[in-house]
Amino acid sequence: MTVGQGRDVVNSEVQEILNYFGQCPICGHPARAWHITAEFDDNRVSNQDVAECGGWCGWKGPVRPVAMTDGALVLTKEHKAIGPKVPGLPSV
């Protein structure tokens, strides 16, 4: 996802990558990863895979995911959607 282009996110979705196999580049602990999709107010859609350290250091950053098994990455079937704020409802 590109930052600083003067556009707003109107909808987004986060899915955990279930068969992600990666390590933290700082401390070497196993990491978890998510596939993030964002739709912007100019109708463009951007995707990015982001991981975070499962250990003590707190590292987070974009990654090129490597699956632990042969084939494609396995994403959760449940989607965490983050849409526009609806008056009267708490934000996600």
Side-chain angles (χ1 to χ4, degrees):
M1 289 180 223
T2 307
V3 177
Q5 297 220 351
R7 52 190 182 158
D8 293 322
V9 174
V10 294
N11 204 1
S12 65
E13 178 178 270
V14 179
Q15 293 175 279
E16 185 172 5
I17 301 172
L18 298 176
N19 63 340
Y20 176 73
F21 181 71
Q23 293 183 326
C24 173
I26 296 174
C27 70
H29 277 85
R32 296 175 61 193
W34 293 267
H35 180 75
I36 301 171
T37 303
E39 179 184 354
F40 296 92
D41 57 1
D42 61 1
N43 293 323
R44 292 186 184 189
V45 176
S46 181
N47 296 291
Q48 186 173 45
D49 296 316
V50 177
E52 76 175 355
C53 178
W56 53 268
C57 79
W59 169 84
K60 292 179 185 176
V63 293
R64 181 176 288 161
V66 177
M68 265 209 218
T69 55
D70 289 335
L73 294 171
V74 177
L75 303 176
T76 56
K77 290 184 181 180
E78 294 181 20
H79 305 290
K80 180 178 180 183
I82 304 170
K85 184 172 169 114
V86 177
L89 294 177
S91 339
V92 178

